[in-house]
Structures are given as C-alpha cells and as structure tokens.
DNA sequence: CCCGAAGTTGAATCTTACA
DNA sequence: GTGTAAGATTCAACTTCGG
C-alpha cells in the first residue's frame, strides 16, 4: 500500500484477519468435525500485536484515500471493536456501522451462546471534515423496494456454485465473501470508473464484483495460491454495459412471528391462561413463550396437539384468551405484531 | 459501585452515555428540529476522556461480578467499538455481540447515510476461564418458535404508553430502552432470584422488568429526576408469581440417572437387546447396567460411540428397545424414573 | 431424467461434574 | 490442580445417492 500514490483511491474494502483465537476442535452433534479457520495468517500472539498490525494498514489506507474517499472494514466480535476504536483514533469519521445478517449461519452446536448470525461492517470517511463522499442514496432506496436502505442487510453466506473450490472439492479460501455483499457496498459508495482497493484480496470477490460493475480495482494478496485463484476467477467475469441496470432486489423475508415475541412485548403477560375453543382445555403462558399444562410444556403448537391427542396443531388459531367473557384467538396478537415490522 | 462487595452480582446491564458528538442541530425535511440527545451527561471532551470513564466503571463492574456472572453493554457506533475494545483489554470474555434491530427506527433525513436502524449489545463473561455462566438456551429456543435464538433481535423502539413522559408530554428520558429488550436479556442470562445491577439506571427499565420477572435489582443513577421517575415507575409494576417466571429448563438441570438404576428397578431386564435407530447395531444389557457387543463392553455411551466409530455418543437417545415392532428410545425409561423421584 | 431421502457443511473464541 | 466419564447438542442450503 505504501507504494501507491497519496490520495489516489476512491474506496477501500478491507476484510482483514479476524484473530479468532480458537482452541481445540469443535464437533457437530453428529460427531463430524467443524472445519475451523486455523490458518497461520489468522494467528496473532496478543491483542497488542493485532492492534499494531491494524494500525499500520489503517494508517497506510488513510494516506492513499482521496479526501472524498471512504473505507469499509468487515469483522466479527473477535476483532471489529478493536478496528472500530482504531479507525476513530486515526481520525476516520464513521458514517455507519452496518450489520450483515446471515440468512444461513452455522448454528451453535453446544447450546452455550446465541447463534452467531451476523458480521459487522464499518463505513468511514477519511476525516470528520471530509466532504463529497459518494453515497448513492436513490440506488440504495431502489434496491430496497423504495424504502431507505437500513443498516442491517440480510444476505446469504457464500456457497453453491459461487464458492471457489479446488479439484478435491475443498474450499479455495476459508472465508470467501458473497458477491451480493460486495455488490451492495460498491453500488452504495462508488461511481462507475472509481478505483477500489482491497488490501486483503483473498479469493478476489471485490475484484470480481468491481469488474462486473464497471469499477477499477487494485487487489493486494500475500498468498500466491489465493492470488492465482482470484486472477482466474476475475478473468471469467463479464463487465456489464453502462446502461445495464443491476437489480438485485432484496429478498423480502416473510415475517415469521414466534409466539414468544408476543409475551416479550407485553401483549400477553406471563401467567395468562389460554383456552381452546371448547374451553375444555387450558394452558398457562410462561415468560419464555412456552405453555404449561398439568403434565407437559412446550410451544403453543406442541401443547395444542398434546391436549387434543393429535399429531399436529396450529397453536395460533387453537388457543384463545378470554376478554370480557368472549374468546379471542391469539392470532390477533400476531397480526398486531406483524403490522409493526419493517 | 465501589461500595458494593466483591463478587456479589449475577448480571450487569449497562447503557452508558453514547458520547454522541453531535454538532449543531438536525432538521427534518419539513424544517422541524430533531430532539437530539444533547444532555450534559453525554458530553466528553475527547475519546481518551471517554475511554478513561469507561475503563473506570468497567473495572469496578468486574470486581463486583460473581465469577459466573455476565455483563451486557449496549451502545451505537459512536461508542460501542471503544467499549468492546476496553472489555477485551480488561480480560472480559466475549460470548456474543447482539444486534438490536429496530423495527421502527428514525429515518435518515439528509439522505447521506444508511438509516441507522440498529444498536449493538455485547455480552461477556467475567473472564476467559469463567465457567458456569447462565444461558437459558432452551428458554431462548422456546421464545423463538423452537429454533436457536440468533444474535440479531428485532424489537421496536420504546414508545406509546410504555414511554415515560412528563406533564408537558416531553420524554422523561431521551434514551429509554424498550422493556422487550430487557425481557430477552434477563430471561436469557439470569435465573429467578438473581441480582441484576444497572449502573446507568436512567428511567429504570432494567428494574421494572427485573421486578416483573422475579429478579432482584440494584439501580445506580446520578440524576435525581431520572431516579425519582424510575422509582415511581417500578412501584406500579406487579411481580409475576414464581411459577410464571419459570422457563423451559435445560436437560442438564434434571437430576442425573445412572443407566444402572433402570436395570435395577426392573424397567429393563438384564439380557434385553438394544438397537440403534438404523437397527444396524445391537448390544445386550447386563445386570450391572453395562452393555456388551461382540467385541466390547462398557457404558451405554461408550458402547454407542464404539459401534458408530465416533468419539462420543449420548447413549440415552442412541439406544432403543423394540416394542411391538417399534423403536422406543431408552430415554423414556429415564423419564419414567425421574417422574417417580422426589 | 425426475424426485425424495440422506448426507455434508459453513469466519466458532461451543461442557461439566466428580473423583 | 488434573484426569475421566457422563451426556448434551444444529439450521439452511447445497450435493449426492438411490429408486
């Protein structure tokens, strides 16, 4: 990076090592071993060593950014907080933090934590007084069904035919990012003809998407295997013509409403008694949204089936609350909640 | 906080000042002024002043946390990266970062950034080697329609009748958190009877939800107006009965039943043949509760792992008896035994 | 060739009690 | 402190295999 001229880059996308600090192996319930990211390039002796590494490349990035340029940095909780603090200390000016919500994350196999279902991106201008950075507000709005693009993006992880694999079927790069993520980053914050730098090029997703979208790119990669794979990959990419309208509409995720949310939001206090349409059966609501009867506990659906002696049951229409002597199906509470969703 | 005894707190929820650094006022497209957070308590002269403040209270928090205690810290991109780095530097061990997705965020009025639609929570154990922290995995799963709870939570901002307002209709506190958010935090990471500390009590959401869910709480608040409002608010809260705050329990909490007892009690006579779900493997029960195959003997778990060629196995769910041609897991015998126990 | 079942896999800081 | 054993634990997407 130090070889590049000062103030020459429009946008930087950086996906640095995450410093995962994994110890031992993790197995799925079916006893198979999780293929962890245990590459040498992700290992640092300490936080301070990682910080020194980060500070060096972030400072180098700042020098080569145009005054109107912006930088994107992606990470997980292992490293993103350190990177964010460094960005602020170096005088970068945060514009947004953006959450990449994975539609298909790896589950938590031991049941000891929440499913780690997102990564965080930080988007910064070069300095507080930097003016004139690119944000294609209307393109983002169009991409989001004419609503302002929010700071949480739902995008699947990289797999299928998009994922680069060797002859043996093994992943070419352990952490290849999905092109949809780069597509949104590049459409949001650059113009056609801009120069985009990726200092941790890896499998070259940034280059592939930049080329397709008519942006120039510079990729820096230390590992020759990765670099060659990226080169081959990008060679096959067809740039779109300027008047090509890229429309990757956001997949509207059908709002699934777990019953627990109804309790959590206070629409139904813990301890409320629900009854079935005949009032023959009843069950009590607990704080976690499960139901209890004299001899069982579980979801509204399971307990509904249980008291009927059936194999399945739609708890939303089966269970009712009693309001002024009248039965009201709990489904009306779900509808109330749905109306509030984005 | 320094007045509290060491290792006395089960859980801390902290919503510190955000260090917003707003300059000038922000106007909506219709020229009305946005009521921004511009209180004195949110002003810090520099990042390093904010860091010193953060380090002081985070260290004090670490002292009074039980070894098995956990801490939650919430913030936005203005401060959360600094807090996250500090937590790591102090030796806290991150369990998750969690994204609060706001279903109804304030739109971005200038069209120069993404709509800031989320805040970030960090959940930490007191140290890397801290074991036995509370995570009510099954309760979270119940709350989410029997799917693992993810690290992104969709919850509306605090408004309507929940929002505290003065006689003039003005917000009592500028950053009052929704009770639904605290509900999830408290149900996830504490048990009934636990002590929860909130060092930035504000309008007292933590106290209100803690009281309702049968947890003890300690609130610290410098501003007397806020403290009084919180006191009045919490006085009106009705605690749920102990039964109602029970949540779905983990299997680990159930009393342990050695397989030998099943044989001893005559639920399974010695000599019974057990099979795995595919009926590919079988083993015979001996009078001491061990299993034998052609080439090995040992516990239900050891032999299960052995016949599968796996490193581990839950024998209770792996082995089955054949009843009228159907497979029944031996776990039902354990449940039968558990039901008989005091 | 099609369809359903079965198997594989993904940036993961992933157990606990007791001897 | 350490070692051993009990036994709890997964979602969505893609690929492969068998009929």
């Amino acid at each position: 990076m130090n070889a590049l001229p000062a103030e020459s880059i429009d946008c930087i996308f950086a996906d640095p090592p995450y410093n995962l600090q994994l110890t031992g192996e993790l197995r799925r319930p079916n006893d198979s071993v999780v293929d962890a990211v245990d590459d040498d390039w992700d290992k640092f002796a300490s936080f301070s060593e990682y910080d020194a590494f980060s500070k060096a490349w972030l400072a180098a990035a700042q020098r080569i950014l145009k005054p109107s340029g912006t930088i994107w940095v992606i990470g997980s909780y292992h490293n993103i907080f350190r990177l964010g603090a460094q960005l602020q200390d170096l005088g970068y000016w945060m514009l947004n933090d953006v959450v990449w919500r994975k539609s298909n994350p790896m589950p938590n196999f031991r049941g000891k934590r929440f499913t780690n279902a997102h990564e965080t991106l930080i988007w910064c201008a070069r300095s507080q007084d930097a003016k004139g950075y690119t944000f294609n507000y209307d393109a983002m709005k169009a991409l989001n069904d004419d609503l302002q693009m929010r700071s949480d993006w739902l995008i699947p992880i990289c797999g299928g035919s998009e994922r680069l694999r060797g002859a043996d079927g093994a992943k070419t790069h352990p952490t290849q990012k999905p092109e949809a993520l780069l597509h949104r980053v590049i459409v949001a914050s650059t113009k056609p003809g801009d120069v985009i730098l990726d200092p941790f090029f890896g499998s070259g997703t940034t280059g592939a998407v930049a080329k397709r979208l008519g942006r120039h790119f510079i990729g820096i990669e230390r590992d020759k295997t990765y670099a060659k794979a990226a080169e081959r990959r990008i060679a096959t990419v067809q740039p779109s013509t300027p008047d090509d309208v890229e429309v990757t509409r956001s997949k509207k995720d059908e709002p699934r409403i777990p019953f627990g949310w109804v309790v959590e939001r206070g629409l139904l206090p813990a301890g409320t008694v629900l009854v079935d349409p005949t009032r023959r059966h009843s069950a009590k609501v607990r704080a976690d949204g499960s139901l209890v009867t004299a001899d069982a506990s579980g979801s509204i659906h399971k307990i509904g089936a249980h008291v009927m002696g059936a194999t399945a049951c739609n708890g939303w229409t089966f269970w009712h609350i009693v309001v002024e002597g009248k039965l009201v199906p709990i489904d009306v509470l779900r509808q109330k909640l749905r109306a509030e969703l984005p």
Side-chain angles (χ1 to χ4, degrees), chain A:
Chain A
M1 268 199 278
N2 291 330
L4 292 166
E7 306 196 351
S8 59
I9 304 289
D10 293 291
C11 184
I12 297 177
F13 180 86
D15 180 16
Y18 284 14
N19 187 23
L20 287 187
Q21 311 167 63
L22 303 176
T23 56
E25 66 176 17
L26 177 65
R27 285 169 180 268
R28 300 188 178 82
N30 67 6
D31 206 51
S32 63
V33 177
V34 173
D35 181 20
V37 177
D38 53 1
D39 307 74
D40 284 340
W41 51 253
D42 197 50
K43 290 190 166 63
F44 293 84
S46 64
F47 278 134
S48 61
E49 191 184 295
Y50 185 78
D51 290 343
F53 167 77
S54 305
K55 188 173 182 181
W57 73 260
L58 284 170
Q62 203 169 23
R63 184 188 68 86
I64 58 180
L65 261 189
K66 288 184 185 172
S68 64
T70 60
I71 184 171
W72 290 85
V73 180
I74 183 168
S76 66
Y77 65 86
H78 308 85
N79 68 329
I80 197 66
F81 300 107
R82 316 199 74 81
L83 290 170
Q86 293 257 4
L87 282 161
Q88 291 177 321
D89 289 343
L90 285 168
Y92 284 102
W93 189 246
M94 281 192 194
L95 299 169
N96 279 110
D97 60 334
V98 170
V99 174
W100 166 28
R101 301 176 50 223
K102 304 180 185 184
S103 55
N104 49 350
M106 179 153 50
N108 185 288
F109 296 119
R110 292 302 164 123
K112 299 305 294 179
R113 303 179 176 197
F114 299 98
T115 304
N116 203 347
H118 74 276
E119 292 186 25
T120 302
L121 300 100
I122 302 176
W123 182 42
C124 293
R126 207 181 82 146
S127 67
Q128 178 171 4
D129 56 322
K131 302 290 177 204
Y133 65 86
T134 298
F135 178 57
N136 297 310
Y137 176 78
D138 293 303
M140 284 296 102
K141 203 165 168 177
L143 209 56
N144 194 39
D145 285 340
D146 290 327
L147 292 175
Q148 286 190 345
M149 183 65 80
R150 298 167 42 111
S151 56
D152 52 337
W153 302 352
L154 183 65
I155 293 174
I157 61 175
C158 180
S161 59
E162 187 186 323
R163 187 93 199 210
L164 300 187
R165 292 182 187 278
D168 55 351
K171 293 174 283 193
T172 301
H173 193 283
T175 71
Q176 185 181 341
K177 294 291 174 288
E179 296 197 0
L181 183 70
L182 269 295
H183 181 105
R184 194 170 294 182
V185 163
I186 290 174
V187 170
S189 59
T190 68
K191 295 181 171 65
D194 276 3
V195 178
I196 303 171
L197 167 73
D198 186 334
F200 304 95
F201 205 52
S203 54
T205 308
T206 303
V209 181
K211 180 178 176 189
R212 184 148 46 77
L213 292 173
R215 274 74 169 173
H216 303 291
F217 67 89
I218 301 171
I220 302 177
E221 176 53 52
R222 198 171 51 178
D223 184 302
K224 284 185 181 152
T225 318
Y226 297 158
K228 279 193 182 144
E231 224 171 309
R232 278 195 303 272
R233 170 189 187 181
I234 294 166
T236 70
V237 171
Q238 288 294 333
S240 14
T241 58
D243 46 86
D244 252 350
V245 188
E246 285 287 348
V247 187
T248 53
R249 286 224 170 260
S250 61
K251 198 171 72 178
K252 259 272 188 273
D253 43 332
E254 206 50 45
R256 179 180 61 88
I257 310 278
F259 176 68
W261 295 11
V262 173
V263 182
E264 200 173 65
R265 303 267 177 97
L267 294 177
L268 214 53
T272 306
V273 173
L274 304 182
V275 297
D276 79 303
T278 67
R279 300 201 193 206
R280 273 199 286 266
H281 306 291
S282 67
K284 205 190 239 190
V285 176
R286 294 195 296 193
D288 62 353
S290 61
L291 299 189
V292 266
T293 63
D295 61 344
S297 74
S299 68
I300 53 172
H301 314 294
K302 279 192 187 146
I303 297 302
H306 173 73
V307 300
M308 283 198 298
T311 55
C313 166
N314 180 350
W316 287 107
T317 51
F318 180 74
W319 293 108
H320 295 67
I321 47 175
V322 183
V323 181
E324 294 169 6
K326 283 185 180 168
L327 294 182
V328 178
I330 57 175
D331 201 38
V332 304
L333 303 173
R334 175 166 66 162
Q335 285 157 24
K336 199 178 273 184
L337 232 52
R338 268 221 177 107
E340 293 177 5
L341 292 182

